Amino acid sequence: MLAQRYRLFTQTGHALLSRPAKQPLRWDANAVCRNCRFSAQRSYTSSPPTTSLGEASPTTRVRFAPSPTGYLHLGGLRTALYNSLLARQDGGKCILRIEDTDQTRYVPGATESLIRALDWAGVKFDEGPGIGGPHEPYQQSKRLELYKKHAETLVEHDHAYRCFCSPERLSLVRLEAQKSGKTASYDRKCSNLSKQESQERAEKGESYVIRMKVPDGKTVVHDKVHGKVEFMNKEVDDSVLMKSDGFPTYHLANVVDDHLMGITHVIRGQEWLPSAPKHVILYNMFGWKEPSFAHVPLLLNPDKSKLSKRSGDVNVEDYRDKGYFPEAVVNFVALLGWHPGSTEEIFDLDGLTKAFSLKNIQQSNAVVLREKLDWINKMHLNRRAETKKGLLDMAAMVRPKIEADLGPLEKEHTDEYIGRVIDTLKERIKNVYDVPALCGYYFKNPTYTSEESVAYLTKVGAETLLKVLPKALSELKSKSDMPLEKEEAKQVLKAIADEHKLKLPVVMNALRYTVSGVKVGAGVPETLSTLGRKCVVHRIERVLEQLA
């Protein structure tokens, strides 16, 4: 019977998982990536925790634990969102924890940037930095003594050991392994030291790290997404738990904190699946009950390469700065690897909370398509445009962009006016930032000198303008004390067409050129009404002067 194949991209992006029929998902050491012929040269196995927690419950506690190494990645927002949704479903708690133990990668100000981006997206936390909670501090660099105590406990119980190997020796070990075609893992030399010798060398001030002592056998991690995945322990490295600088590694710190903070579900990126057996082993060493794991699929570029900073816009701030709505970005990332079980695709946060389920997270990696985000953003733009408040909020959002692109606005360009512009253009735009880029004529007089305007004038014809504009000017001035409504604009256009025996599209093109200088935009009656009588009259007079 042919084996069923399941693709899993590791941090290197290679497909190295297989699942023989009716067998656990296995990390195959001898597998060769079908995509690029990369050889694993290593085998892991991951399997379900001995406990199988369900979905959210009144005691659900989840955490988002980013490292302050830069901006919030799109994948990070998705992880934070999934955790938040699970907690929100029935009154659980979502915790923000800053994992800043890798001081070599720490970026000053990154924590504040992460919090601002999460706040912009509407992802809220119940405990964390600046919020407080029963497990403070929520910054790992302020919990070092706690990790040291737990690492020493493991050493005392022979679940870990001090390693005194120098960086030079470790480099030689890695080099020799590579030469022989083996996985570059520690050779466990220091695991053979007696407790007495280890203690004496430590007391003399010799530099050391603490490594976990991986037991024989295999480790099985139950994953809510990938099911039962097996890891052979002989292929799991004796990873460092405490570094020589007194800081813990991710493996120790996240397990200790997740247990002490009562975390029931660990939802994180699929790239952490190879580390899952180490964490399950640590839970067993401490005698703790492990949480329920869910490793969500990776995000890929359209060419199926892993989404990275070199791929373009990957940070949440990039999308914010390009005018996307927070609810649209959240809606978009929610659908990257999860489906609602229906045809519905447009959700606000409340809708996502009701629809979300770990059961509907897919195994296959998710492709990030800007076109899909644009469509979702347009749908949310239309939703906002249904209310006056929504229009005013969009106006306030786009005003700085309009002024940055076009210069200071006139006093008549109020938020109410900008809201009317957006309402007029809503079927033509996908993003409110399209307004100044595509339709600057709502705020500044056309110059008529661009290549597009010159070509449009040739199409419309000066003779047609000289026929149409005087009549339009007369009609509009006759009601100078009244707002220009769309219906009146339609009547004016029809009256001109009837008087000069012209087709209505010819008349509309003449007015469109006059008020905008471009041939693409909203309907002519709607455009004239939005610009207002005073502005339209002024532009007609201006074009007639140029034609004189």
Side-chain angles (χ1 to χ4, degrees):
M1 184 175 182
L2 294 176
Q4 294 172 304
R5 303 292 294 184
Y6 287 79
R7 176 174 297 180
L8 174 66
F9 283 80
T10 66
Q11 287 176 313
T12 56
H14 304 291
L16 301 174
L17 281 180
S18 64
R19 189 198 300 272
K22 299 183 180 180
Q23 297 295 319
L25 191 64
R26 180 175 294 277
W27 197 280
D28 190 350
N30 300 311
V32 176
C33 176
R34 298 184 301 282
N35 300 327
C36 64
R37 312 309 298 167
F38 170 86
S39 176
Q41 296 180 348
R42 176 171 189 166
S43 131
Y44 292 112
T45 318
S46 134
S47 122
T50 54
T51 60
S52 179
L53 300 178
E55 298 263 332
S57 69
T59 57
T60 295
R61 287 179 62 83
V62 294
R63 58 28 170 210
F64 176 55
S67 297
T69 57
Y71 295 105
L72 180 63
H73 188 279
L74 207 60
L77 174 60
R78 183 188 60 172
T79 300
L81 176 66
Y82 286 177
N83 278 284
S84 177
L85 292 176
L86 189 64
R88 280 168 56 99
Q89 283 183 336
D90 56 6
K93 301 293 183 182
C94 187
I95 297 150
L96 176 63
R97 189 174 72 219
I98 303 300
E99 300 197 339
D100 58 348
T101 57
D102 189 347
Q103 295 294 290
T104 62
R105 299 177 62 225
Y106 175 75
V107 175
T111 297
E112 294 75 16
S113 174
L114 287 166
I115 292 173
R116 284 195 301 271
L118 290 164
D119 186 62
W120 173 81
V123 178
K124 305 299 182 183
F125 298 91
D126 302 290
E127 302 172 24
I131 304 170
H135 301 288
E136 289 186 297
Y138 293 91
Q139 191 171 340
Q140 288 187 336
S141 61
K142 297 179 180 179
R143 300 167 63 87
L144 299 184
E145 286 301 316
L146 190 64
Y147 309 129
K148 180 180 179 182
K149 172 186 173 183
H150 283 82
E152 290 173 347
T153 298
L154 292 177
V155 172
E156 291 172 8
H157 290 82
D158 202 30
H159 292 313
Y161 57 90
R162 299 182 186 90
C163 175
F164 299 91
C165 293
S166 66
E168 292 75 18
R169 181 182 183 278
L170 294 175
S171 295
L172 289 175
V173 170
R174 284 192 293 269
L175 184 60
E176 288 301 318
Q178 291 170 1
K179 286 181 179 179
S180 61
K182 298 179 180 178
T183 301
S185 59
Y186 182 58
D187 60 3
R188 309 190 82 173
K189 175 184 177 182
C190 288
S191 67
N192 298 317
L193 296 176
S194 67
K195 285 190 175 182
Q196 182 178 349
E197 180 182 353
S198 175
Q199 184 67 31
E200 289 175 352
R201 292 175 67 172
E203 290 175 352
K204 289 179 181 178
E206 190 171 344
S207 179
Y208 66 88
V209 300
I210 294 179
R211 292 180 180 273
M212 66 186 297
K213 184 183 286 188
V214 177
D216 294 334
K218 69 179 180 181
T219 299
V220 181
V221 175
H222 177 70
D223 189 82
K224 290 292 184 181
V225 177
H226 298 283
K228 185 178 181 181
V229 190
E230 297 179 347
F231 289 76
M232 302 309 296
N233 287 0
K234 66 181 180 180
E235 302 293 346
V236 179
D237 191 25
D238 282 9
S239 294
V240 173
L241 301 179
M242 288 292 293
K243 296 176 285 187
S244 58
D245 62 2
F247 279 80
T249 61
Y250 171 81
H251 304 300
L252 177 65
N254 103 88
V255 167
V256 169
D257 284 344
D258 283 350
H259 172 72
L260 295 181
M261 294 181 182
I263 301 304
T264 60
H265 297 68
V266 171
I267 305 173
R268 59 189 177 188
Q270 189 169 275
E271 63 269 25
W272 290 109
L273 184 55
S275 296
K278 299 177 184 180
H279 303 159
V280 171
I281 289 170
L282 284 171
Y283 276 106
N284 291 334
M285 287 175 172
F286 285 119
W288 298 337
K289 182 179 180 180
E290 66 264 28
S292 184
F293 293 100
H295 289 87
V296 299
L298 297 181
L299 301 185
L300 305 180
N301 293 306
D303 64 1
K304 303 303 175 66
S305 62
K306 186 181 177 185
L307 194 69
S308 67
K309 292 181 180 179
R310 289 172 292 181
S311 310
D313 297 334
V314 298
N315 299 322
V316 174
E317 289 87 345
D318 293 331
Y319 295 96
R320 178 198 64 195
D321 295 343
K322 285 180 168 56
Y324 290 97
F325 300 126
E327 66 269 28
V329 175
V330 165
N331 190 162
F332 176 62
V333 299
L335 297 174
L336 292 174
W338 168 82
H339 64 87
S342 68
T343 58
E344 179 62 45
E345 290 189 280
I346 304 304
F347 296 91
D348 58 16
L349 198 55
D350 288 339
L352 285 172
T353 301
K354 294 174 183 176
F356 183 73
S357 170
L358 292 177
K359 295 177 182 178
N360 289 340
I361 294 178
Q362 64 192 36
Q363 292 185 10
S364 58
N365 296 310
V367 177
V368 177
L369 297 173
R370 176 64 71 84
E371 295 82 3
K372 183 64 175 288
L373 173 59
D374 286 338
W375 177 78
I376 290 175
N377 198 72
K378 180 178 178 62
M379 297 301 102
H380 282 281
L381 189 155
N382 290 341
R383 278 191 174 187
R384 285 193 177 209
E386 291 173 358
T387 67
K388 182 177 180 180
K389 181 181 184 303
L391 288 170
L392 291 176
D393 287 345
M394 287 191 287
M397 175 181 171
V398 76
R399 175 181 287 277
K401 176 66 173 174
I402 296 172
E403 293 187 325
D405 288 1
L406 304 178
L409 297 180
E410 303 297 331
K411 63 180 181 180
E412 61 264 27
H413 296 146
T414 62
D415 282 355
E416 287 79 5
Y417 173 77
I418 297 174
R420 290 198 301 274
V421 171
I422 295 171
D423 196 33
T424 301
L425 296 170
K426 63 186 179 185
E427 299 304 322
R428 303 273 178 172
I429 60 176
K430 300 174 182 177
N431 187 308
V432 289
Y433 279 17
D434 292 340
V435 171
L438 302 177
C439 308
Y441 54 83
Y442 280 101
F443 308 97
K444 301 293 178 180
N445 288 322
T447 62
Y448 309 107
T449 57
S450 69
E451 185 176 334
E452 180 183 3
S453 289
V454 172
Y456 195 23
L457 175 59
T458 300
K459 175 183 177 180
V460 172
E463 291 184 4
T464 299
L465 290 174
L466 289 171
K467 286 182 180 179
V468 169
L469 296 187
K471 175 66 174 177
L473 187 62
S474 173
E475 291 284 343
L476 293 172
K477 280 188 170 182
S478 67
K479 300 179 181 179
S480 59
D481 58 340
M482 298 176 62
L484 177 56
E485 301 293 344
K486 183 174 72 171
E487 288 305 313
E488 181 190 347
K490 287 182 177 180
Q491 293 171 8
V492 169
L493 293 169
K494 187 177 185 305
I496 296 170
D498 291 344
E499 179 173 318
H500 293 286
K501 302 293 190 277
L502 295 172
K503 292 183 178 179
L504 191 58
V506 172
V507 177
M508 289 195 292
N509 271 314
L511 265 296
R512 184 185 294 282
Y513 168 81
T514 301
V515 299
S516 73
V518 294
K519 62 181 180 180
V520 177
V524 174
E526 292 83 357
T527 301
L528 297 178
S529 176
T530 301
L531 285 168
R533 190 182 305 273
K534 179 181 176 181
C535 177
V536 173
V537 166
H538 170 72
R539 292 183 183 182
I540 291 175
E541 292 175 337
R542 190 160 161 255
V543 170
L544 286 173
E545 288 176 6
Q546 292 176 356
L547 294 173

